[in-house]
Amino acid sequence: MDRISALRNVEEALSDFEAGDADLAATEQRVLTVLRTYATDFDGEEGLQAYQASGAGRAHGLVVVAESEAEARERIADLLDEEPASIAADISPV
């Protein structure tokens, strides 16, 4: 899914919400699905994959897109402003 398609899908979800055709929970799920699809479907971007942190600490549940688990750990550390070695979480493909 390219950026324009993702934006159109989010716009449609918001329009349905505003029109009363969808409730907040359904709209949130729809937008989350668009975002996950966009984040994990990079046309022409070989080697990128979504990784999720699980375990103890602030990293739990974070999802990033990277080429490897090591790069994913670095991206998560950057998001949390911590050292990669201090991230007390398992990093695995989604």
Side-chain angles (χ1 to χ4, degrees):
M1 174 182 301
D2 65 16
R3 181 185 290 225
I4 299 300
S5 295
L7 291 172
R8 281 190 194 125
N9 288 330
V10 169
E11 176 61 32
E12 288 175 13
L14 293 174
S15 292
D16 289 347
F17 176 73
E18 290 170 346
D21 295 334
D23 66 5
L24 181 59
T27 303
E28 288 174 335
Q29 184 59 47
R30 199 165 155 193
V31 170
L32 178 61
T33 300
V34 170
L35 179 59
R36 289 279 175 127
T37 302
Y38 175 77
T40 58
D41 186 29
F42 289 97
D43 291 334
E45 296 285 337
E46 297 285 329
L48 290 178
Q49 184 171 350
Y51 290 89
Q52 183 171 24
S54 61
R58 298 186 315 145
H60 179 74
L62 291 179
V63 177
V64 296
V65 177
E67 290 185 7
S68 67
E69 288 181 30
E71 183 181 327
R73 183 174 297 279
E74 289 177 20
R75 287 180 185 236
I76 289 170
D78 286 344
L79 286 171
L80 299 176
D81 197 28
E82 295 181 13
E83 292 296 319
S86 71
I87 302 297
D90 292 324
I91 309 296
S92 56
V94 176

